CSV table of all heavy atoms in Angstrom, one decimal:
chain,number,residue,atom,x,y,z
Z,121,ARG,N,11.7,-3.2,1.1
Z,121,ARG,CA,12.7,-4.2,0.7
Z,121,ARG,C,14.1,-3.6,0.6
Z,121,ARG,O,14.3,-2.7,-0.1
Z,121,ARG,CB,12.3,-4.8,-0.6
Z,121,ARG,CG,13.1,-6.1,-1.0
Z,121,ARG,CD,12.7,-6.5,-2.5
Z,121,ARG,NE,11.3,-6.8,-2.6
Z,121,ARG,CZ,10.8,-8.0,-2.3
Z,121,ARG,NH1,11.6,-9.0,-1.8
Z,121,ARG,NH2,9.5,-8.2,-2.4
Z,122,PRO,N,15.0,-4.1,1.4
Z,122,PRO,CA,16.4,-3.5,1.4
Z,122,PRO,C,17.2,-3.9,0.1
Z,122,PRO,O,16.8,-4.8,-0.6
Z,122,PRO,CB,17.0,-4.1,2.7
Z,122,PRO,CG,16.4,-5.4,2.8
Z,122,PRO,CD,14.9,-5.3,2.3
Z,123,TRP,N,18.3,-3.2,-0.1
Z,123,TRP,CA,19.2,-3.6,-1.1
Z,123,TRP,C,19.7,-5.0,-0.8
Z,123,TRP,O,20.1,-5.2,0.4
Z,123,TRP,CB,20.3,-2.6,-1.2
Z,123,TRP,CG,21.3,-2.9,-2.3
Z,123,TRP,CD1,22.6,-3.2,-2.2
Z,123,TRP,CD2,21.0,-2.8,-3.7
Z,123,TRP,NE1,23.2,-3.4,-3.4
Z,123,TRP,CE2,22.2,-3.2,-4.4
Z,123,TRP,CE3,19.9,-2.5,-4.4
Z,123,TRP,CZ2,22.3,-3.3,-5.8
Z,123,TRP,CZ3,20.0,-2.6,-5.8
Z,123,TRP,CH2,21.2,-3.0,-6.5
Z,124,PRO,N,19.7,-5.9,-1.8
Z,124,PRO,CA,20.0,-7.3,-1.4
Z,124,PRO,C,21.4,-7.6,-0.9
Z,124,PRO,O,21.6,-8.6,-0.3
Z,124,PRO,CB,19.7,-8.0,-2.7
Z,124,PRO,CG,19.8,-7.0,-3.8
Z,124,PRO,CD,19.4,-5.7,-3.2
Z,125,LYS,N,22.4,-6.7,-1.3
Z,125,LYS,CA,23.8,-7.0,-0.8
Z,125,LYS,C,24.0,-6.2,0.5
Z,125,LYS,O,24.1,-5.0,0.4
Z,125,LYS,CB,24.8,-6.6,-1.9
Z,125,LYS,CG,24.6,-7.4,-3.2
Z,125,LYS,CD,25.5,-6.9,-4.3
Z,125,LYS,CE,25.3,-7.6,-5.6
Z,125,LYS,NZ,26.2,-7.2,-6.7
Z,126,GLU,N,24.1,-6.9,1.6
Z,126,GLU,CA,24.1,-6.2,2.9
Z,126,GLU,C,25.2,-5.3,3.0
Z,126,GLU,O,25.1,-4.2,3.6
Z,126,GLU,CB,24.1,-7.3,4.0
Z,126,GLU,CG,23.9,-6.7,5.4
Z,126,GLU,CD,23.8,-7.8,6.4
Z,126,GLU,OE1,23.6,-9.0,6.1
Z,126,GLU,OE2,23.9,-7.5,7.6
Z,127,SER,N,26.4,-5.6,2.6
Z,127,SER,CA,27.6,-4.7,2.8
Z,127,SER,C,27.4,-3.5,2.0
Z,127,SER,O,27.8,-2.4,2.4
Z,127,SER,CB,28.9,-5.4,2.3
Z,127,SER,OG,28.8,-5.8,1.0
Z,128,GLU,N,26.7,-3.5,0.8
Z,128,GLU,CA,26.5,-2.3,0.0
Z,128,GLU,C,25.3,-1.5,0.6
Z,128,GLU,O,25.3,-0.3,0.6
Z,128,GLU,CB,26.2,-2.7,-1.4
Z,128,GLU,CG,27.4,-3.4,-2.1
Z,128,GLU,CD,27.1,-3.9,-3.5
Z,128,GLU,OE1,25.9,-3.7,-4.0
Z,128,GLU,OE2,28.0,-4.5,-4.1
Z,129,ALA,N,24.3,-2.2,1.2
Z,129,ALA,CA,23.2,-1.5,1.8
Z,129,ALA,C,23.6,-0.7,3.0
Z,129,ALA,O,23.0,0.3,3.3
Z,129,ALA,CB,22.1,-2.5,2.2
Z,130,GLU,N,24.8,-1.1,3.6
Z,130,GLU,CA,25.2,-0.4,4.8
Z,130,GLU,C,26.1,0.8,4.5
Z,130,GLU,O,26.5,1.5,5.4
Z,130,GLU,CB,26.0,-1.3,5.7
Z,130,GLU,CG,25.1,-2.4,6.3
Z,130,GLU,CD,25.8,-3.4,7.1
Z,130,GLU,OE1,27.1,-3.4,7.1
Z,130,GLU,OE2,25.2,-4.3,7.8
Z,131,LEU,N,26.4,1.0,3.2
Z,131,LEU,CA,27.2,2.2,2.8
Z,131,LEU,C,26.5,3.5,3.2
Z,131,LEU,O,25.3,3.6,3.1
Z,131,LEU,CB,27.4,2.2,1.3
Z,131,LEU,CG,28.4,1.1,0.7
Z,131,LEU,CD1,28.3,1.1,-0.8
Z,131,LEU,CD2,29.8,1.4,1.2
Z,132,ASP,N,27.2,4.4,3.7
Z,132,ASP,CA,26.7,5.8,4.0
Z,132,ASP,C,26.1,6.4,2.7
Z,132,ASP,O,26.8,6.4,1.7
Z,132,ASP,CB,27.8,6.6,4.6
Z,132,ASP,CG,27.2,7.9,5.1
Z,132,ASP,OD1,26.0,8.0,5.3
Z,132,ASP,OD2,28.0,8.8,5.4
Z,133,GLY,N,24.9,6.8,2.7
Z,133,GLY,CA,24.3,7.4,1.6
Z,133,GLY,C,23.3,6.5,0.8
Z,133,GLY,O,22.7,6.9,-0.1
Side-chain angles (χ1 to χ4, degrees):
R121 186 186 302 275
W123 184 246
K125 300 177 184 178
E126 188 173 346
S127 61
E128 296 176 1
E130 293 175 351
L131 290 171
D132 189 15

